[in-house]
Structures are given as structure tokens and as C-alpha cells.
Amino acid sequence: MVVLRNGVPQPNEWVRVADDATLPEGAKVIVSLERWQAERATLRQRNSAVGISLKSDQSPLLIKDDLDHLSLVALEFPKFTDGRAFSYARVLRDRLGYRGEIRAFGQVLRDQYLFMLRCGIDTIEPPAEKRVEGYAEALKEFSVFYQPTNDHRETALRLRHGMAKSAAA
């Protein structure tokens, strides 16, 4: 399986490990919140990176004290009408100051991809049946935005005021 980073396919370096499975030695692993909570001390001692997978009803505030030990937080999009993961990505970046990788998985739609990146999501796991080329095209569909986010793009309002200043001079 590939992941997309800024619309570019990348090999997936992470292994998603079931709660009852043995952790592979030396591999970057993604575990569930439940496994993290049950095996926190052991997982913190690993010599390889650990990530956590949060279901859509699991807030990142549940792991706020553990973020320094996590290299990746994977957020579930169980269906296209459930947008909680967008808010969770903003909470991770803006409120909790998380600088590690945020990944989206599940029903990751092409039409939502640009907004996922704007909310702070770094990589996505597109559904297996989807063409990955369409996701890169989605990043070019909008060039001006009304909402400020942590991607540091100028908003329409700021651009408009900047144009008005230069026209008045």
C-alpha cells in the first residue's frame, strides 16, 4: 500500500499491528489507543518509532501527555459525513503543538484531500480502489482560501487588503 504526501505517492514505512499480534522488531508500528494505554511503558522503550491510531470517537486529548513519544498519529475517517478527524488534526497541531506526522485513513475522499492538508494532516492512506493520480489534481483546484489555517497561506481577506494598499499608493 502507498501513502500520499502532498499528492506524491510514497512507500508506506509503517506497519499497522493488531492488538493481539506480536510487534515486529525494528519496524515502525501503529497501534490502537487501547493497546497504547495497556502497554505504554513497553512501547515507550522500543528502539523504533511508534504511532497510534485513533478512531473517530477518540479525541487526541486522550493522548496529549504522550505526544512526545509518538512519531505518528493516524486519524480515522469512517465515512465521508464524519468530519471529526478534521477537527482532531487542528487540535493536534494548533492546541497541542504536535509536530509529528498526522495520517488520515479510511474513507479519505479526493474532494476532501486539500482540506485535510490545510488542517495539518501530512499523509493519507487512500482507499485501495481509488486512483491516486486524482488526489494530486485535487491540490490544484483552489488557489485562494477564506479560512486561516496552519499551512500559512494568505487568506482572501488579507490578499484583498494587500491589493487595496498597493492600488492606493
Side-chain angles (χ1 to χ4, degrees), residues 38 41 56 78 101 113 126 137 142 145 147-149 164:
S56 64
E101 180 178 343
Y113 183 39
E137 295 166 10
F142 296 97
F145 301 94
Q147 302 87 358
T149 63

Side-chain angles (χ1 to χ4, degrees), residues 95-159:
R95 210 162 126 196
L96 301 177
Y98 182 66
R99 295 292 161 233
E101 180 178 343
I102 299 177
R103 176 174 293 187
F105 71 96
Q107 289 299 312
V108 179
L109 301 180
R110 173 204 183 277
D111 294 345
Q112 296 174 332
Y113 183 39
L114 176 61
F115 302 106
M116 289 178 179
L117 295 183
R118 297 205 70 229
C119 288
I121 293 171
D122 300 297
T123 58
I124 65 166
E125 294 177 12
E129 69 277 4
K130 300 286 185 185
R131 280 187 39 237
V132 295
E133 297 81 19
Y135 287 84
E137 295 166 10
L139 299 181
K140 301 173 190 168
E141 291 179 349
F142 296 97
S143 59
V144 178
F145 301 94
Y146 288 104
Q147 302 87 358
T149 63
N150 61 5
D151 68 0
H152 307 294
R153 292 188 192 195
E154 291 291 335
T155 62
L157 182 63
R158 291 185 61 122
L159 289 170

Side-chain angles (χ1 to χ4, degrees), residues 4-26:
L4 293 179
R5 180 181 297 277
N6 295 319
V8 179
Q10 309 274 317
N12 185 5
E13 300 175 348
W14 291 85
V15 177
R16 198 175 290 273
V17 182
D19 288 346
D20 58 350
T22 304
L23 295 172
E25 280 300 317

Side-chain angles (χ1 to χ4, degrees), residues 33 37 115 120 136:
L33 173 63
Q37 290 171 334
F115 302 106

Side-chain angles (χ1 to χ4, degrees), residues 68-95:
D68 290 344
H69 301 283
L70 298 169
S71 299
L72 177 141
V73 177
L75 301 173
E76 177 189 37
F77 284 80
K79 53 187 176 179
F80 78 92
T81 57
D82 187 341
R84 290 178 281 186
F86 286 105
S87 299
Y88 292 163
R90 291 293 305 263
V91 167
L92 282 164
R93 291 287 187 226
D94 299 340
R95 210 162 126 196

